[in-house]
Amino acid sequence: PRAEAPADEEKRRVGLAPPSRQKAAAPGMAAEPSGGESANEMTADLAEAPPRMFVLAADGEGTPPPVVSRLDAPRLSALRGREFVLLVETGGRVRSVALPGSSGPAGVEAEVLREIVFAPGDRPRRLSVRIE
C-alpha cells in the first residue's frame, strides 16, 4: 500500500504547509523570535543576568589562585563592565585595588573588591579582575 500525504492540518502543525496556509504575522509586526520571547524580554534577561568575575594573572606568575569567597551579585553588578588590578597578600586577602595602568586607588565603589578572598599562596600576587 502506498503511504498517503499528511493532511493539511498535520502539515501546518509540523511547519510543512505552504506559506500561504501558515499563519502570517500581522502587517508591520515582526514575527516573534524562537522560544516565544520578545526582543525586549531577551534584553531584560541579559541585563538581569548575574555578573561574572574573570580573574587573570597580571604578574606573569602562572595561573591565578582560586577565589575562596566572592561578593554577592548585587554588589558585584555595580562594577559590571569595569576592570581592576588587585594586589593579593600571601594569605589570600586583597591588599589594594587599582585601575589598570594606574598606581593610585580605584575609587570608593571598587573598595568592595577588598572583601574577595583568594586561596593562600607562597607569594603576593598581582591579579587582573574584569566584571561582566
Side-chain angles (χ1 to χ4, degrees), residues 19-102:
S20 62
R21 292 189 174 197
Q22 289 182 350
K23 184 179 174 184
M29 299 291 289
E32 246 182 37
S34 63
E37 291 185 272
S38 70
N40 288 341
E41 288 172 335
M42 288 188 294
T43 303
D45 288 346
L46 290 175
E48 293 174 9
R52 296 182 296 172
M53 183 173 73
F54 296 93
V55 181
L56 301 170
D59 55 10
E61 297 291 327
T63 59
V67 177
V68 175
S69 172
R70 61 181 68 233
L71 297 174
D72 58 353
R75 295 174 72 199
L76 206 53
S77 289
L79 302 174
R80 192 185 299 256
R82 298 181 61 192
E83 188 171 342
F84 303 94
V85 176
L86 308 182
L87 183 57
V88 180
E89 300 173 343
T90 57
R93 299 275 177 194
V94 176
R95 181 188 305 169
S96 67
V97 180
L99 295 172
S102 169

